[in-house]
C-alpha cells in the first residue's frame, strides 16, 4: 500500500514539474517555432507523466502543460492571458488532447496490469489442478495453503479436518466475507483482523477448512478472493469426502 502511495505522490509532483521543465527547455526557440509544434511537444510530456502515474496525475499534467503554454508561449508573454484567437484555439486543443491522451494512457496501463494479474492467477489455478492429478492430498493442501498465503496476504494459514467448530468470518464462494453481523466491506476496509475460514467441499460434501489470519491491512482484490475459492475447491476434490457434512 505505501509503495503505491509513494508512486502516486511522485506522479503528482511530476505532473507539475515535467510540463514546466519541458516549457523551459523549449523557451529559447519561442520566436522561431510555431506554437502548434510547442503544443505537440508538451502533449508528449503529458503522455510521459500519464504512462508512469495515474489518471489524476495525467489530468494535472494536461492542466500544467496548458497553463505554462499560455504563460511562456502566447502573447503577451509571461502573463496568464492570450491575445490572439489562434493561440486560444491551440491552448484549448492542448488541454483537451492532453486530458484525453493521459486518460487513454492510464487506461492502457491498467489493462496491462489486469492482464498480467489474470495470467498469474491462471498459472496458480493450473499449477494446483495439475498437482491434484499427481500429488497426495496432504501435498495439495500444503501447496494450496502456500498459494492462499500469497494471494490473500496472510500471516497464518492452516487446514483443519473434521467438524466445524465456532463461527469465524467466512470467505464465501462469491468472494465476499460473511461475518456474524453481515457481509464485511473487504474492498473498503480490507480483510477482518480476526481469523476467517475458507471451507472446502467434494461433490457438495464438506471436507475441511482453511483457517486464515490476514496481515494487518490485507486487502486482496475480488479476483484474488475468487481464485482463492477455486484453489480451495481443488483441495477439496483432492481430499475427498473425509468428514460428514455440517448440520
Amino acid at each position: 500500500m505505501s509503495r503505491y502511495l509513494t508512486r502516486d505522490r511522485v506522479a503528482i509532483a511530476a505532473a507539475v514539474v515535467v510540463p514546466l521543465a519541458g516549457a523551459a527547455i523549449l523557451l529559447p526557440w519561442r520566436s522561431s517555432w510555431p506554437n502548434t509544434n510547442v503544443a505537440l511537444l508538451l502533449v508528449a510530456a503529458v503522455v510521459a507523466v500519464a504512462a508512469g502515474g495515474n489518471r489524476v496525475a495525467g489530468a494535472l499534467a494536461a492542466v500544467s502543460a496548458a497553463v505554462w503554454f499560455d504563460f511562456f508561449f502566447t502573447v503577451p508573454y509571461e502573463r496568464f492571458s492570450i491575445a490572439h484567437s489562434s493561440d486560444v484555439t491551440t491552448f484549448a486543443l492542448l488541454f483537451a488532447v492532453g486530458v484525453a491522451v493521459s486518460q487513454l494512457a492510464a487506461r492502457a496501463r491498467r489493462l496491462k496490469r489486469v492482464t498480467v494479474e489474470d495470467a498469474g492467477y491462471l498459472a496458480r489455478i493450473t499449477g494446483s489442478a495439475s498437482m491434484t492429478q499427481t500429488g497426495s492430498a496432504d501435498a495439495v493442501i500444503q501447496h494450496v495453503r502456500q498459494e492462499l498465503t500469497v494471494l490473500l496476504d496472510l500471516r497464518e494459514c492452516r487446514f483443519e479436518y473434521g467438524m466445524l467448530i465456532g463461527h469465524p468470518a467466512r470467505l464465501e464462494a462469491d468472494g465476499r466475507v460473511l461475518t456474524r453481523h453481515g457481509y464485511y466491506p473487504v474492498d473498503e476496509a480490507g480483510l477482518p483482523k480476526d481469523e476467517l475460514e475458507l471451507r472446502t467441499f467434494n461433490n457438495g460434501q464438506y471436507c475441511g477448512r482453511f483457517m486464515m489470519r490476514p496481515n494487518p491491512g490485507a486487502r486482496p482484490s475480488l479476483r484474488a478472493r475468487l481464485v482463492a475459492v477455486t484453489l480451495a475447491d481443488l483441495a477439496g476434490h483432492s481430499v475427498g469426502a473425509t468428514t460428514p457434512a455440517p448440520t
Side-chain angles (χ1 to χ4, degrees):
M1 179 70 68
S2 60
R3 177 167 61 89
Y4 290 110
L5 289 175
T6 300
R7 178 177 176 177
D8 287 345
R9 292 192 188 102
V10 171
I12 294 297
V16 176
V17 173
V18 170
L20 174 59
I25 292 172
L26 297 173
L27 195 56
W29 293 275
R30 179 169 63 185
S31 60
S32 58
W33 278 23
N35 279 354
T36 51
N37 289 356
V38 173
L40 287 173
L41 291 174
L42 290 177
V43 167
V46 173
V47 173
V49 172
N54 52 33
R55 292 179 183 273
V56 174
L60 181 59
V63 173
S64 178
V67 166
W68 295 123
F69 172 80
D70 172 23
F71 188 77
F72 288 117
F73 296 98
T74 65
V75 178
Y77 295 135
E78 298 176 8
R79 290 177 58 188
F80 291 110
S81 61
I82 302 176
H84 300 308
S85 61
S86 60
D87 286 337
V88 173
T89 302
T90 303
F91 172 87
L93 288 174
L94 169 60
F95 175 73
V97 172
V99 170
V101 170
S102 70
Q103 301 310 296
L104 289 173
R107 178 176 175 79
R109 189 179 62 256
R110 179 180 177 276
L111 290 175
K112 179 180 178 181
R113 184 173 66 250
V114 169
T115 300
V116 171
E117 288 178 353
D118 287 347
Y121 293 153
L122 180 60
R124 292 180 187 278
I125 293 172
T126 55
S128 300
S130 177
M131 178 168 283
T132 62
Q133 304 299 316
T134 58
S136 65
D138 287 341
V140 173
I141 288 173
Q142 291 304 314
H143 173 78
V144 171
R145 185 182 63 80
Q146 293 171 1
E147 294 287 353
L148 293 177
T149 299
V150 176
L151 266 175
L152 303 180
D153 190 14
L154 304 177
R155 182 173 53 186
E156 298 175 9
C157 182
R158 69 182 189 279
F159 187 80
E160 289 184 351
Y161 294 93
M163 298 297 294
L164 293 168
I165 300 175
H167 300 281
R170 181 169 69 249
L171 179 57
E172 301 267 78
D174 60 3
R176 293 187 293 175
V177 173
L178 181 63
T179 70
R180 295 181 181 181
H181 307 290
Y183 287 103
Y184 195 82
V186 178
D187 292 329
E188 293 77 24
L191 291 173
K193 294 183 292 184
D194 297 329
E195 202 168 44
L196 70 155
E197 66 177 8
L198 173 56
R199 298 180 182 180
T200 62
F201 299 87
N202 180 54
N203 295 326
Q205 187 171 1
Y206 174 73
C207 298
R209 60 182 178 176
F210 290 93
M211 299 299 298
M212 308 174 294
R213 189 177 298 277
N215 282 311
R219 189 179 299 179
S221 67
L222 176 60
R223 291 197 304 277
R225 301 195 302 270
L226 291 173
V227 171
V229 171
T230 301
L231 295 178
D233 287 341
L234 291 173
H237 289 305
S238 181
V239 171
T242 57
T243 57
T247 58

